[in-house]
Amino acid sequence: MTMDGRNRWFALIVLCLGTLMIVLDTTIVNVALPSIRADLGFSETSLAWVVNAYLLTFGGFLLLGGRLGDLYGPRRLFLTGIAIFTLASLACGLAGSEGFLVTARAVQGVGGAIASAVSLSLTMNLFTEPAERAKAMGVFGFVASGGGSIGVLLGGVLTNSLDWHWIFLVNFPIGIAVVVLSLRLLPGARTGATGRLDVAGAVTVTASLMLAVYAIVNGNQAGWVSGRTLGLLAAAAAFLALFLVVESRVTSPLMPLALFRLRNLATANVVGVLWAAAMFAWFFLSALYLQLVLGYSPLQVGLAFLPANLIMGALSVAVSARLVMRFGIKRPLAAGLTCAAVGLLLFARAPVGGGFVANVLPSMILLGIGAGIAFNPVLLAAMSDVAPEESGLASGVVNTAFMMGGALGLAVLASLAASRSDSLRATGHSPLAALVGGYHVAFVVGAVFAATAALVGVSLLRVGAQTAADDGGAGRARAAIEQAS
């Protein structure tokens, strides 16, 4: 199917709309969490599963979705993923119990992973001329990085004006429109890839991480050294070992273990896990602090997050790449992660009777700056020593690390916060003071995660392949950045 220039850009808009819908779902839920908790009776720790169920299946099926796209065509998989995501969103909106909502969120994650895994490939297929491709990638990147700011605001508006069910129901008409327009505008693609699907790899790694997070989330209630918790952790370790055996023996592995011999890729994955653990905890815990402690409405929570997300999106698109071109990867990465760590530490000082300007806005600004500066260096570090034919797979590995790091980090910090709050209540602190004390511990640990990520990146990343002044490749990259902006 041959497309003229105008139709290609319309097709890009459709891809961006589908991507935006999926990106929104990672932030739009945070604003509504207290309302969901009150309506469906979630406990403080089990509430994390509204987020984790989505993140775990999303991360677990990203690589499999990309592989399916290679075998059966990215257009077909994009349509399948959007359809699954849309129907699961409808189920989430109609949910009347904890179990039903968490299950529907897990299915949402599968659909989102399949669509996300192939949307970038479709964009690359649509735009083959270098200047057009650079501009298209700029638009796509802006949607992917700046969509969070729309999510927190839209979540606040819908929850405040209607109720939390509409943060999911709004996806249904949008998803139908994306499917209809995709059938009309997206071209089919040849499928030349061969090989067997590594379904066993996807199942074993997802099962391992789900069991581990479940054990951590419920560790405070069941006991950290109880037979139940230790048994779940042992089962998670067994599934992980089985996953490694599968990956070492199959001909078309979901995650080729040889990739981790590449130093920068392995380092970037460690940084990504730590970085995501801190960032997802920020979204989750600060939303609870604003609503449960300061008494913000869902709309006010959305507006409170807006400065950070706007800064994050703007810096990710317009500034971060230029900083890398001038200073290399290490210094922007360290600066961004350090800003985020300081922002989390400031949140750890927020009192029961805090105010937005004094106790919330400075942290939000620093976290927005940190995320906006650090996101691109992590991805560039991962790709710096990867062969071109493995770049898509390497990108999927990094995205998976981010998703899994976020889910596991959120589980750990939510459990730590609950444990500290219980201890403070037992010693006579008021309910609000105990709640804030728990959040403080979680924010401090999140800051440690971000600072550790900075130290790992600065210490272990190789400099030569990714510095700004390398050679003609840097010049071409700089030209692409300028064309895209």
Side-chain angles (χ1 to χ4, degrees), residues 57 69 82 139 216 239 268 332 355 446 484:
T57 53
I82 291 295
V139 174
I216 293 169
F239 271 110

mmCIF file of all heavy atoms in Angstrom, residues 57 69 82 139 216 239 268 332 355 446 484:
data_model
loop_
_atom_site.group_PDB
_atom_site.id
_atom_site.type_symbol
_atom_site.label_atom_id
_atom_site.label_comp_id
_atom_site.label_asym_id
_atom_site.label_seq_id
_atom_site.Cartn_x
_atom_site.Cartn_y
_atom_site.Cartn_z
ATOM 1 N N THR A 57 1.901 -6.988 33.654
ATOM 2 C CA THR A 57 1.584 -7.620 32.371
ATOM 3 C C THR A 57 2.092 -6.770 31.217
ATOM 4 O O THR A 57 2.533 -7.312 30.197
ATOM 5 C CB THR A 57 0.064 -7.848 32.228
ATOM 6 O OG1 THR A 57 -0.624 -6.612 32.463
ATOM 7 C CG2 THR A 57 -0.423 -8.883 33.222
ATOM 8 N N GLY A 69 4.808 -9.032 16.357
ATOM 9 C CA GLY A 69 4.753 -8.063 15.267
ATOM 10 C C GLY A 69 5.691 -8.428 14.139
ATOM 11 O O GLY A 69 5.364 -8.251 12.950
ATOM 12 N N ILE A 82 -4.795 -2.663 20.561
ATOM 13 C CA ILE A 82 -5.747 -1.587 20.868
ATOM 14 C C ILE A 82 -7.126 -2.161 21.182
ATOM 15 O O ILE A 82 -7.830 -1.680 22.088
ATOM 16 C CB ILE A 82 -5.835 -0.591 19.697
ATOM 17 C CG1 ILE A 82 -4.520 0.195 19.569
ATOM 18 C CG2 ILE A 82 -6.998 0.364 19.883
ATOM 19 C CD1 ILE A 82 -4.220 1.099 20.748
ATOM 20 N N VAL A 139 7.470 14.060 17.042
ATOM 21 C CA VAL A 139 6.057 14.091 17.429
ATOM 22 C C VAL A 139 5.715 12.889 18.297
ATOM 23 O O VAL A 139 5.076 13.008 19.359
ATOM 24 C CB VAL A 139 5.163 14.115 16.178
ATOM 25 C CG1 VAL A 139 3.689 13.986 16.562
ATOM 26 C CG2 VAL A 139 5.393 15.387 15.378
ATOM 27 N N ILE A 216 5.885 -9.261 48.283
ATOM 28 C CA ILE A 216 6.347 -8.017 48.904
ATOM 29 C C ILE A 216 5.171 -7.172 49.368
ATOM 30 O O ILE A 216 5.177 -6.623 50.481
ATOM 31 C CB ILE A 216 7.234 -7.236 47.910
ATOM 32 C CG1 ILE A 216 8.522 -8.016 47.650
ATOM 33 C CG2 ILE A 216 7.571 -5.853 48.445
ATOM 34 C CD1 ILE A 216 9.346 -7.473 46.493
ATOM 35 N N PHE A 239 10.638 -19.699 39.175
ATOM 36 C CA PHE A 239 10.186 -19.290 37.841
ATOM 37 C C PHE A 239 11.265 -18.482 37.118
ATOM 38 O O PHE A 239 11.428 -18.606 35.902
ATOM 39 C CB PHE A 239 8.905 -18.458 37.951
ATOM 40 C CG PHE A 239 7.655 -19.280 37.925
ATOM 41 C CD1 PHE A 239 6.867 -19.426 39.061
ATOM 42 C CD2 PHE A 239 7.249 -19.919 36.756
ATOM 43 C CE1 PHE A 239 5.712 -20.189 39.031
ATOM 44 C CE2 PHE A 239 6.096 -20.675 36.716
ATOM 45 C CZ PHE A 239 5.317 -20.819 37.867
ATOM 46 N N ALA A 268 22.460 0.261 31.853
ATOM 47 C CA ALA A 268 21.241 1.043 31.649
ATOM 48 C C ALA A 268 20.017 0.334 32.222
ATOM 49 O O ALA A 268 19.090 0.985 32.723
ATOM 50 C CB ALA A 268 21.035 1.323 30.166
ATOM 51 N N PRO A 332 24.528 14.604 32.126
ATOM 52 C CA PRO A 332 23.078 14.825 32.196
ATOM 53 C C PRO A 332 22.339 13.755 32.992
ATOM 54 O O PRO A 332 21.398 14.062 33.725
ATOM 55 C CB PRO A 332 22.651 14.812 30.725
ATOM 56 C CG PRO A 332 23.879 15.193 29.971
ATOM 57 C CD PRO A 332 25.011 14.579 30.730
ATOM 58 N N GLY A 355 1.638 23.111 52.847
ATOM 59 C CA GLY A 355 1.040 23.952 51.823
ATOM 60 C C GLY A 355 1.642 23.648 50.467
ATOM 61 O O GLY A 355 2.779 23.150 50.371
ATOM 62 N N GLY A 446 13.021 6.048 48.260
ATOM 63 C CA GLY A 446 12.953 6.383 46.838
ATOM 64 C C GLY A 446 14.099 7.288 46.422
ATOM 65 O O GLY A 446 14.674 7.121 45.335
ATOM 66 N N ALA A 484 13.971 17.553 13.875
ATOM 67 C CA ALA A 484 12.771 17.130 14.601
ATOM 68 C C ALA A 484 12.150 18.254 15.397
ATOM 69 O O ALA A 484 10.965 18.242 15.690
ATOM 70 C CB ALA A 484 13.117 15.970 15.544
#
